[in-house]
């Protein structure tokens, strides 16, 4: 009998549903929330309301396009955390009600582990053990992946996530929301050595990105005094120089982790893994470090339910289910399972 799982993702501002059948993703339906654009960032309360509006249509489309009836489902999975509490509550509550109504097993999924397991949607996939750099608007982590369900956090940011640094610096530069992709696009035509920004190097495998945001802010203020149009005149070079510094901070820790652990299987995951500069840097490092590198398809970089479905597939095989009394965890950590 086939194993068919409906998965729901609602951790931030993407409402998504996907269906997986015997480990094969059948679809990946995503509704993006445009309501946040005029605020220049995600507004949690508005995100929760938008999830309420989008969730039923997204789930209905996922079931319809999969060719499966809800009576054919084997389980329901949802993102438990980390994420925005209100957004997690919407997705989790729907999943619980759906599972209860159909008397189906319920599977809770760690959002960051799901990003890592997106690498197993397509082939080739990494061999165990491998190191995964998970980078997004809310997280920057180095993860040792020992198996599909056994992961160890090696290091993470002590303050801001790299995606947050990209977006906030882009906002300072006057770029549209979300700013990270716009900064990346402009950086492609700029000189990464035009300006120098500080490269933080925390002890061990920890990251820090708060300093570069402050440095960029004061750099711009100082130069605008002499040239009010400084940003407009040097926008591409500023973007390229900022991106160069941020990527260097990521890569120096990734290289360090690889050398310390003696692991050459390396992957990236999360929204910032779509950044073209980071992808190029990773490919170059693969040659210099003799790595086997794995890059997820762009549609599986940003928040999506397909990655949640893939994680749920392995948890279903292992019999890892949860009860209806499970609660969301806004600050859920890698390896944090089964706690109410």
């Amino acid at each position: 009998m086939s194993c068919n799982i409906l998965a729901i993702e609602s951790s931030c501002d993407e409402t998504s549903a996907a269906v997986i059948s015997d480990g094969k993703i059948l679809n990946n339906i995503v509704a993006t929330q445009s309501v946040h654009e005029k605020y220049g960032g995600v507004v949690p309360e508005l995100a929760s309301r938008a999830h309420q509006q989008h969730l039923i249509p997204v789930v209905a489309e996922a079931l319809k396009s999969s060719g499966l009836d809800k009576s054919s489902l084997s389980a329901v999975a949802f993102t438990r955390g980390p994420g925005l509490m209100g957004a997690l509550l919407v997705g989790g509550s729907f999943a619980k009600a759906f599972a209860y109504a159909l008397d189906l097993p319920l599977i809770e999924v760690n959002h960051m582990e799901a990003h890592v397991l997106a690498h197993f949607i397509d082939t080739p996939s990494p061999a165990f053990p491998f190191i995964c750099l998970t980078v997004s608007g809310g997280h920057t982590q180095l993860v040792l992946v020992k198996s599909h369900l056994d992961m160890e956090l090696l290091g993470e940011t002590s303050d801001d996530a790299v995606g947050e640094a990209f977006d906030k610096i882009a906002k300072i530069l006057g770029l549209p929301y979300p700013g990270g992709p716009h900064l990346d696009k402009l950086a492609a035509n700029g000189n990464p050595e035009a300006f120098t920004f500080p490269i933080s190097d925390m002890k061990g495998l920890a990251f820090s990105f708060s300093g570069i945001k402050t440095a960029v802010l004061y750099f711009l203020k100082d130069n605008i005094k002499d040239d009010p149009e400084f940003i407009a005149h040097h926008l591409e070079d500023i973007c390229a120089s900022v991106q160069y510094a941020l990527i260097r901070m990521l890569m120096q820790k990734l290289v360090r982790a690889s050398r310390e652990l003696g692991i050459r299987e390396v992957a990236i995951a999360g929204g910032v893994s779509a950044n073209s500069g980071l992808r190029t840097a990773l490919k170059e490092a693969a040659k210099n470090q003799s790595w086997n590198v794995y890059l997820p398809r762009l549609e599986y970089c940003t928040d999506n339910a397909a990655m949640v479905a893939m994680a749920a597939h392995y948890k279903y095989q292992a019999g890892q289910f949860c009860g209806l009394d499970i609660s969301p965890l806004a600050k859920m950590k890698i390896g944090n399972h089964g706690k109410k």
Side-chain angles (χ1 to χ4, degrees), residues 24 43 57 65 84 100 129 161 176 192 237 245 255 270 279 284 318:
K24 180 181 179 182
V43 181
S65 63
L84 302 175
Y100 178 77
D237 286 344
V255 170
R279 286 176 169 247
E284 292 176 353

Side-chain angles (χ1 to χ4, degrees), residues 264-296:
R264 291 192 172 90
E265 293 280 303
V266 176
I268 57 172
V272 181
S273 64
N275 180 277
S276 64
L278 178 57
R279 286 176 169 247
T280 298
L282 195 62
K283 291 175 182 177
E284 292 176 353
K287 298 177 183 177
N288 298 331
Q289 306 294 329
S290 298
W291 288 347
N292 293 321
V293 167
Y294 302 88
L295 308 170

Side-chain angles (χ1 to χ4, degrees), residues 301-334:
C301 291
T302 53
D303 295 345
N304 66 91
M307 67 183 193
V308 178
M310 184 55 64
H313 166 73
Y314 293 113
K315 298 192 77 171
Y316 185 94
Q317 290 183 323
Q320 294 185 9
F321 305 112
C322 63
L324 294 173
D325 59 343
I326 196 81
S327 59
L329 291 175
K331 297 184 181 298
M332 191 173 185
K333 295 286 189 179
I334 290 285

Side-chain angles (χ1 to χ4, degrees), residues 120-315:
F120 295 90
I121 295 175
D122 298 320
T123 56
S125 54
F128 299 115
F130 67 92
I131 297 171
C132 188
L133 174 67
T134 56
V135 281
S136 67
H139 301 85
T140 303
Q141 302 176 333
L142 278 171
V143 181
L144 173 61
V145 187
K146 304 173 186 178
S147 73
H148 295 113
L149 299 178
D150 186 3
M151 303 182 195
E152 177 185 346
L153 183 62
L154 299 173
E156 61 184 336
T157 180
S158 61
D159 41 55
D160 301 329
V162 67
E164 181 181 356
F166 269 112
D167 286 339
K168 287 191 174 179
I169 291 173
K171 187 174 182 179
I172 293 171
L173 293 171
L175 301 180
Y177 171 84
H182 292 284
L183 190 150
D184 180 27
K185 186 175 181 179
L186 289 165
N189 298 316
N191 176 10
E193 299 180 354
F195 307 105
T196 301
F197 296 107
I199 307 293
S200 68
D201 187 9
M202 303 286 285
K203 291 183 179 180
L205 298 176
F207 299 90
S208 174
F209 299 100
S210 60
I212 189 171
K213 292 191 305 181
T214 303
V216 170
L217 179 63
Y218 283 106
F219 165 81
L220 294 175
K221 284 184 176 180
D222 290 342
N223 283 279
I224 288 173
K225 291 178 182 178
D226 298 324
D227 178 8
E229 299 299 320
F230 177 79
I231 293 178
H233 294 158
H234 302 280
L235 183 57
E236 291 178 341
D237 286 344
I238 296 171
C239 290
S241 299
V242 166
Q243 180 157 290
Y244 175 76
L246 289 171
I247 291 174
R248 275 196 62 189
M249 284 187 264
L250 293 173
M251 292 305 301
Q252 67 183 8
K253 294 306 175 78
L254 185 55
V255 170
R256 183 177 299 173
S258 171
R259 290 176 177 174
E260 289 180 358
L261 297 175
I263 295 176
R264 291 192 172 90
E265 293 280 303
V266 176
I268 57 172
V272 181
S273 64
N275 180 277
S276 64
L278 178 57
R279 286 176 169 247
T280 298
L282 195 62
K283 291 175 182 177
E284 292 176 353
K287 298 177 183 177
N288 298 331
Q289 306 294 329
S290 298
W291 288 347
N292 293 321
V293 167
Y294 302 88
L295 308 170
R297 279 166 50 182
L298 293 179
E299 66 183 285
Y300 300 136
C301 291
T302 53
D303 295 345
N304 66 91
M307 67 183 193
V308 178
M310 184 55 64
H313 166 73
Y314 293 113
K315 298 192 77 171

Side-chain angles (χ1 to χ4, degrees), residues 76 94-106 324:
V76 180
F94 181 93
K96 290 179 188 181
F98 198 95
Y100 178 77
L102 296 174
D103 194 25
L104 293 172
L106 188 65
L324 294 173

